[in-house]
Amino acid sequence: MKKMIIASTSTIHGSAYLEYLLPTLTTFFKNIKTLLFIPYARAGGISYDAYTAIAQKAFKKIDINVQGIHEYKNASEAIFNAEGIFTGGGNTFELVHQIYKNDILIDLKKVIENGTPYLGTSAGSNICGATMMNTNDMPIVYPPSFKTLGCIPFNINAHYLDPIEGSTHMGETRETRIKEFHVFNETPVLGLREGSWLSVKNDTIVLQGKYTARLFLKDKKPIELESGVEVLV
Amino acid sequence: MKKMIIASTSTIHGSAYLEYLLPTLTTFFKNIKTLLFIPYARAGGISYDAYTAIAQKAFKKIDINVQGIHEYKNASEAIFNAEGIFTGGGNTFELVHQIYKNDILIDLKKVIENGTPYLGTSAGSNICGATMMNTNDMPIVYPPSFKTLGCIPFNINAHYLDPIEGSTHMGETRETRIKEFHVFNETPVLGLREGSWLSVKNDTIVLQGKYTARLFLKDKKPIELESGVEVLV
């Protein structure tokens, strides 16, 4: 029984870290005393300790302790013993690099599939798909593979942005980039706007939050999905 | 004797492909009859033929023929025989993937260092640095390495964008991403705005075009370089 929350972002503009998600997380992590935090993506390049402290501060508001995976001698054991897991955002390349370096990809997939509640935000959400190939991040480190958890049957593009009307910038829009992805790959991609998240219960994936999400299928016109609907690919 | 033009973009807003660079290219590629075009980055996912036709159309205006590297049986031979070389933009991951697949990285470096005039735009400029780790592109394919030509002593961030004032988007700014890069790497990075290019003559690298460029050195405050100055790192 999979139980996941896959969020576009940890933080929405003008609000504290995870604040917009806390009502949802209170229910989602009910009865959980201690959450295992994976700070590998190191948002802004901060230390694991500093990053874990940010997560701790947010979860204290709903009476949940947070412990960083780096505090454990054995990362794999920490995952198997976790009551719940949260992977924070930052750089997806560094996150995936560390997941391979610490050899926890298969363990993480296993416990999620066995029902350990999982929360991902941004980079922590990108890794829920088949590959990290739809991240917006800069390739600042070279991971041994782009393959990720494959806990959902499509890839995530977090912080999805619509083309800016009247822009004179010649860099590719997000939609162009995802279309380029589909020249080389088949995997569907969901563009998840900031403030949106997916609620996963086993194989049922429902879009939550107040925005629509944009679903890209190879050689098809993109579809806008309404909040509250099941994501079917 | 290196002779390179390393441009942020092929096209500036409201103008035709390469148009803003043609006066410079007329001098730069003087006496060259046929230019070798590397279309591997496949801008927008178009075919090599279609992409080569775009380059042909632009260079026809200054009486230079263009031949795509894919039209040759032996890519390495094509590089060694080239009078001049142009690598176009698109997806840097796919470009680097094809450069390794066709085994031309070392050949390309060799002929550039021996004086074959080289033009890069966007992805074709990103590969001039030590690594492609400062591309803005989506990792739609997995190249065997992020190592690139190393013909200049810093990396390029093409299509450099300043933070958008008043933006409510929580995705990282370009500056934040480059700072994250410097948590893990030492190589200096030059943020090259659209309309700017570098003119490389041997080891002298001069910023051209009407904009300043932003130079990022690890653990230092970024510096704005004026157009016309030598880039020293």
Side-chain angles (χ1 to χ4, degrees):
Chain A
M1 172 67 178
K2 266 184 287 192
K3 269 188 75 184
M4 308 172 77
I5 287 181
I6 299 173
S8 176
T9 184
S10 61
T11 314
I12 54 174
H13 184 73
S15 133
Y17 187 70
L18 288 178
E19 196 177 324
Y20 80 104
L21 270 178
L22 284 183
T24 307
L25 297 178
T26 308
T27 313
F28 184 72
F29 286 132
K30 207 181 152 185
N31 301 325
I32 284 180
K33 291 214 172 76
T34 303
L35 197 60
L36 182 69
F37 180 57
I38 302 181
Y40 291 156
R42 295 178 65 177
I46 58 174
S47 72
Y48 291 162
D49 280 343
Y51 198 8
T52 304
I54 292 170
Q56 273 160 346
K57 194 178 158 193
F59 277 98
K60 210 181 164 185
K61 296 175 190 166
I62 57 168
D63 292 318
I64 293 176
N65 299 319
V66 171
Q67 208 128 31
I69 194 168
H70 63 290
E71 298 168 43
Y72 294 86
K73 248 195 178 150
N74 187 321
S76 172
E77 253 180 55
I79 284 171
F80 279 106
N81 293 330
E83 294 172 71
I85 297 171
F86 168 34
T87 306
N91 184 283
T92 310
F93 290 87
E94 174 61 7
L95 171 58
V96 170
H97 176 70
Q98 291 299 332
I99 282 175
Y100 278 99
K101 201 174 157 191
N102 289 281
D103 196 15
I104 58 163
L105 185 72
I106 291 161
D107 299 338
L108 199 51
K109 186 177 167 71
K110 215 176 275 175
V111 300
I112 291 170
E113 280 173 355
N114 284 338
T116 304
Y118 176 90
L119 166 67
T121 60
S122 193
S125 294
N126 286 338
I127 61 167
C128 296
T131 70
M132 55 162 284
M133 287 183 170
N134 299 98
T135 177
N136 314 308
D137 295 336
M138 203 172 251
I140 58 176
V141 292
Y142 183 71
S145 170
F146 287 165
K147 203 173 162 267
T148 50
L149 292 167
C151 287
I152 52 172
F154 49 85
N155 280 356
I156 296 288
N157 178 254
H159 304 277
Y160 184 77
L161 270 182
D162 293 293
I164 299 161
E165 234 178 289
S167 169
T168 59
H169 187 67
M170 304 304 288
E172 296 86 351
T173 65
R174 204 61 69 77
E175 181 154 336
T176 305
R177 291 171 195 275
I178 297 171
K179 281 185 182 160
E180 280 183 2
F181 169 78
H182 278 142
V183 172
F184 302 96
N185 303 277
E186 309 280 328
T187 312
V189 181
L190 188 69
L192 210 52
R193 295 182 176 87
E194 292 181 350
S196 289
W197 68 93
L198 299 176
S199 164
V200 182
K201 279 181 194 150
N202 227 351
D203 291 328
T204 307
I205 306 169
V206 176
L207 178 65
Q208 305 281 6
K210 58 181 172 183
Y211 302 103
T212 58
R214 197 159 179 83
L215 181 63
F216 298 85
L217 301 168
K218 188 183 168 87
D219 299 330
K220 296 248 170 84
K221 231 187 115 185
I223 307 159
E224 282 293 323
L225 300 180
E226 295 296 322
S227 180
V229 304
E230 196 178 337
V231 183
L232 297 165
V233 294
Chain B
M1 174 67 178
K2 265 184 287 191
K3 268 189 75 184
M4 307 171 79
I5 287 182
I6 299 172
S8 176
T9 184
S10 61
T11 314
I12 54 173
H13 185 73
S15 132
Y17 186 72
L18 289 178
E19 194 177 325
Y20 79 103
L21 270 178
L22 284 182
T24 308
L25 296 179
T26 308
T27 315
F28 185 71
F29 285 132
K30 207 181 153 186
N31 301 324
I32 284 180
K33 289 214 175 73
T34 303
L35 197 60
L36 182 70
F37 181 56
I38 301 180
Y40 291 157
R42 293 179 66 176
I46 58 172
S47 72
Y48 291 163
D49 280 343
Y51 198 8
T52 304
I54 292 170
Q56 272 161 346
K57 193 179 158 192
F59 277 98
K60 210 179 164 186
K61 294 176 192 167
I62 57 169
D63 291 318
I64 294 175
N65 299 318
V66 171
Q67 207 128 31
I69 194 168
H70 62 290
E71 298 168 44
Y72 294 85
K73 247 192 178 154
N74 187 319
S76 171
E77 252 181 58
I79 284 172
F80 280 106
N81 293 330
E83 295 172 70
I85 297 171
F86 167 33
T87 306
N91 184 282
T92 310
F93 291 87
E94 174 61 7
L95 171 59
V96 171
H97 176 69
Q98 290 299 333
I99 282 175
Y100 278 99
K101 201 173 157 191
N102 289 283
D103 196 16
I104 58 163
L105 185 72
I106 291 162
D107 299 338
L108 200 50
K109 186 177 167 73
K110 212 176 278 178
V111 299
I112 291 170
E113 282 173 354
N114 284 340
T116 304
Y118 177 91
L119 165 67
T121 60
S122 194
S125 294
N126 287 337
I127 61 168
C128 296
T131 69
M132 55 162 283
M133 288 184 168
N134 299 99
T135 176
N136 315 306
D137 295 335
M138 202 172 254
I140 58 175
V141 292
Y142 183 72
S145 169
F146 286 164
K147 201 172 164 268
T148 49
L149 292 167
C151 287
I152 53 172
F154 50 85
N155 281 355
I156 296 288
N157 179 254
H159 304 278
Y160 184 77
L161 270 182
D162 294 292
I164 299 163
E165 234 179 290
S167 168
T168 59
H169 187 68
M170 304 304 287
E172 297 85 352
T173 65
R174 203 63 68 77
E175 181 153 338
T176 305
R177 292 171 194 275
I178 296 171
K179 280 184 183 162
E180 281 183 2
F181 169 78
H182 279 141
V183 173
F184 302 96
N185 303 277
E186 309 279 328
T187 311
V189 180
L190 188 69
L192 210 51
R193 294 181 177 87
E194 292 181 349
S196 289
W197 68 93
L198 300 175
S199 164
V200 182
K201 278 181 195 153
N202 226 350
D203 291 329
T204 307
I205 306 169
V206 176
L207 178 64
Q208 305 281 3
K210 57 181 172 183
Y211 303 104
T212 58
R214 197 158 177 85
L215 181 64
F216 298 86
L217 301 168
K218 188 183 168 86
D219 300 330
K220 297 248 168 83
K221 230 186 118 187
I223 307 158
E224 282 293 325
L225 301 180
E226 295 296 321
S227 180
V229 304
E230 195 178 338
V231 183
L232 296 165
V233 294

